Amino acid sequence: MHNDRYSFIKRNTLKLYEKLAEEIVHSIQTGVLLTGDKLPSVRQLKLERNVSASTVFEAYYLLEARGLITAKDRSGYYVTGFSSRLPSIQPTSSKQPTYIGDVDVSELVFNILNAVKNKNVVPLGSAFPSPLLFPLDKIAQRLGAVSRKMDPWLTVKDISPGDENLRRQIAIRYSIDGLAIPINEVIITSGALEGLNLCLSAVTQPGDTVLIESASFYAALQSIEQRGLKAVEVPSHPVTGVDLDALQLAIETYHPKACWLMTNFQNPTGSLMPNAHKKRLVELLTLYDIPLIEDDVYGELYFGSNRPLPAKAFDKAGIVMHCASFSKCLAPGYRLGWVAAGKFSKMIERLKLTSSIAVSVPIQLAIADYLSQGGYDRHLRKLRHKLMLLQMEYIEAIQELFPSGTQLNRPQGGYFLWIKLPDGVDALKVHQAALKQSISIAPGPMFSASRDLTSYIRINCGHPLDEGVKNALKVVGGIVQQIVNK
């Protein structure tokens, strides 16, 4: 739960001018500041923020070097960076579930995912950012070092719940965000997905009902399908996440056994639940004694000045199972995740033990060693900034290359863009046509229990926007335009 005892620990170690620059970048990224807007004068900002003139100058110089602002003689500084001209996606007004019943999406998802394994395919539909964004060489060095001196008895000792030092490092990171999570509640898993599946197995039986959001991460749909569960798909706001009034109505009507949600930078929509919504969500689920399986793999990829709190921060009864991993923010391919499982910790630990026993010991030791060296937050700052700039570049390209009628939102973190195509355009047809030209996209139906969302696609903007990628966006935009013209 949220605990002010840990407020003295500060994760954000940016210099003052860097903090000021990041705040301005966030205002540009979220559309508060638009291209052509004049920034406050150095004197004005100095007085407003109670900082020195040199701090303001350093911030402005940094933004100018990044190409986001420009100085005009005797006039001041102006925004030259990103400004979206595309309309935002509007939320549905219905409070009724978009789907109730069995789930049958695996065949569709497998067909789409299998089609994009070829590395010659432009990965607009990929679920992972570019591997070039991560310090894999440094982690490999730590892996080699810890493997050479590893105590052989750790292969016995470090079975579920996992390496104690790694779990301590994870608990420290929770404490930085104000969450007092005991080490014995942290269970190491083979990526977040294994943790999510273990949580679902811990609290459901075949035939039970699970609440999910619309749109929903396709792996959640597959997990529900594989366990013989039923899904109730609840409407979700494209910016603020699941509709809590609709969620309460679904709880009272369908009596679910669990709820599976992404509260921070949801995949595929990029939505971010406000803290007040997270608090109400946890209070609502606590009232009805419904466990929350919280998928928070993108929480570290925020573009603002602070990491958004997970719903776990508001959990006083231990009903939230918080699942995360290092796959999206540090070490893709290493498949190292964890669950902070609350009152279900012992159950999850035993399920892990009986399913896959343990996670690779050298990988646990290597990541723990890397975290203890103190470079993780420095890497995250660089990664977040790069992803934010890539998002700006992709949106600029999409609004240039896609036809009128296209809509999208600007997430405040992560690396996905959820795009609504013009009326009458079938996302699966766009996917099939793009794939013939070695371009992948993620069509909306793979994120829907009802195979709905046929006019939506998800684009991965976590890869450098080189000439090949921009040409791929041009091709996809052309395919959409051809369908519109028919």
Side-chain angles (χ1 to χ4, degrees):
M1 74 186 115
H2 189 66
N3 193 322
D4 290 335
R5 285 191 300 134
Y6 294 91
S7 61
F8 68 91
I9 306 176
K10 299 295 183 184
R11 173 178 294 184
N12 193 339
T13 57
L14 293 176
K15 295 178 181 177
L16 192 56
Y17 77 89
E18 291 176 316
K19 291 181 181 180
L20 180 57
E22 289 302 318
E23 289 178 21
I24 297 171
V25 169
H26 188 244
S27 294
I28 296 172
Q29 190 270 336
T30 55
V32 175
L33 290 173
L34 302 176
T35 299
D37 284 353
K38 184 178 180 180
L39 293 174
S41 69
V42 173
R43 182 175 180 277
Q44 180 184 352
L45 204 54
K46 170 189 170 183
L47 295 173
E48 288 180 355
R49 302 302 298 271
N50 194 27
V51 296
S52 67
S54 62
T55 295
V56 180
F57 273 120
E58 288 286 350
Y60 281 0
Y61 291 157
L62 182 59
L63 294 171
E64 194 172 20
R66 293 173 179 175
L68 295 175
I69 69 172
T70 188
K72 295 182 180 180
D73 287 342
R74 297 179 183 151
S75 180
Y77 288 89
Y78 291 81
V79 176
T80 57
F82 168 80
S83 175
S84 176
R85 298 182 298 274
L86 294 176
S88 298
I89 299 171
Q90 297 303 306
T92 176
S93 59
S94 173
K95 301 298 181 188
Q96 297 299 319
T98 57
Y99 179 78
I100 307 155
D102 297 328
V103 179
D104 182 16
V105 299
S106 286
E107 193 65 29
L108 172 66
V109 171
F110 286 139
N111 287 340
I112 292 171
L113 296 183
N114 284 333
V116 300
K117 286 182 178 179
N118 188 334
K119 72 174 185 177
N120 294 320
V121 173
V122 181
L124 298 178
S126 168
F128 295 92
S130 169
L132 302 179
L133 298 174
F134 301 95
L136 297 179
D137 54 342
K138 294 180 180 178
I139 297 173
Q141 291 172 5
R142 303 319 310 153
L143 182 59
V146 299
S147 297
R148 285 191 294 272
K149 60 184 180 182
M150 185 180 80
D151 180 354
W153 285 103
L154 289 179
T155 58
V156 176
K157 182 186 175 200
D158 281 355
I159 60 174
S160 184
D163 178 70
E164 183 175 353
N165 187 33
L166 176 60
R167 290 185 292 128
R168 180 179 295 108
Q169 292 293 331
I170 291 170
I172 288 171
R173 296 196 68 79
Y174 276 118
S175 72
I176 291 171
D177 291 318
L179 281 74
I181 304 294
I183 292 176
N184 60 11
E185 285 190 17
V186 178
I187 299 99
I188 305 302
T189 60
S190 298
L193 186 55
E194 185 190 37
L196 291 158
N197 282 319
L198 291 173
C199 292
L200 194 60
S201 295
V203 296
T204 63
Q205 297 290 332
D208 286 345
T209 297
V210 179
L211 292 183
I212 57 174
E213 53 203 319
S214 178
S216 190
F217 177 40
Y218 55 76
L221 301 175
Q222 290 177 294
S223 297
I224 290 169
E225 177 182 347
Q226 291 166 5
R227 283 163 178 74
L229 303 169
K230 297 184 183 299
V232 174
E233 209 169 47
V234 179
S236 187
H237 191 287
V239 175
T240 59
V242 68
D243 185 310
L244 295 178
D245 291 334
L247 186 80
Q248 182 169 3
L249 179 61
I251 288 172
E252 293 170 350
T253 305
Y254 301 104
H255 311 292
K257 296 296 184 181
C259 183
W260 180 328
L261 299 175
M262 280 190 183
T263 58
N264 294 326
F265 317 124
Q266 196 256 10
N267 180 3
T269 66
S271 65
L272 171 63
M273 288 188 74
N275 283 344
H277 289 206
K278 292 170 184 169
K279 184 174 184 291
R280 183 186 164 200
L281 168 69
V282 174
E283 290 172 347
L284 183 63
L285 295 177
T286 302
L287 177 64
Y288 289 95
D289 195 25
I290 299 171
L292 172 61
I293 302 169
E294 184 179 20
D295 184 350
D296 194 22
V297 295
Y298 305 103
E300 292 282 15
L301 303 182
Y302 56 92
F303 297 159
S305 57
N306 295 295
R307 188 197 196 285
L309 288 173
K312 182 71 175 175
F314 305 98
D315 180 23
K316 298 178 181 178
I319 66 160
V320 178
M321 293 172 276
H322 182 255
C323 303
S325 83
F326 295 106
S327 296
K328 306 298 192 300
C329 56
L330 178 64
Y334 279 64
R335 303 302 306 152
L336 188 63
W338 70 90
V339 183
K343 69 179 183 180
F344 303 100
S345 297
K346 279 298 177 186
M347 190 180 301
I348 300 296
E349 179 182 335
R350 290 169 183 169
L351 284 172
K352 169 65 180 174
L353 191 61
T354 57
S355 60
S356 58
I357 301 178
V359 175
S360 165
V361 174
I363 286 177
Q364 292 188 68
L365 297 178
I367 297 297
D369 189 58
Y370 177 84
L371 295 175
S372 68
Q373 299 301 312
Y376 185 37
D377 284 306
R378 183 166 58 251
H379 155 70
L380 286 174
R381 287 196 297 272
K382 293 179 180 178
L383 175 63
R384 288 192 289 262
H385 180 69
K386 181 61 177 177
L387 291 176
M388 181 176 63
L389 293 183
L390 283 173
Q391 186 198 85
M392 292 179 180
E393 293 174 9
Y394 271 74
I395 293 179
E396 291 277 6
I398 289 167
Q399 62 188 16
E400 173 191 344
L401 300 171
F402 277 53
S404 175
T406 302
Q407 302 172 34
L408 62 74
N409 295 321
R410 298 188 305 272
Q412 298 178 49
Y415 52 88
F416 294 126
L417 292 174
W418 185 236
I419 300 171
K420 188 177 189 302
L421 301 174
D423 292 343
V425 177
D426 187 326
L428 284 173
K429 291 182 178 178
V430 176
H431 156 71
Q432 292 159 0
L435 198 57
K436 290 178 181 178
Q437 301 193 53
S438 297
I439 302 166
S440 75
I441 61 169
M446 70 187 297
F447 303 100
S448 170
S450 60
R451 306 284 190 94
D452 201 358
L453 305 173
T454 55
S455 61
Y456 292 83
I457 62 173
R458 188 198 70 187
I459 294 291
N460 182 325
C461 57
H463 293 257
L465 189 61
D466 56 24
E467 185 177 347
V469 173
K470 187 162 186 180
N471 184 63
L473 287 172
K474 183 177 181 180
V475 170
V476 175
I479 291 169
V480 175
Q481 184 68 71
Q482 289 175 359
I483 297 174
V484 170
N485 292 342
K486 285 184 179 178

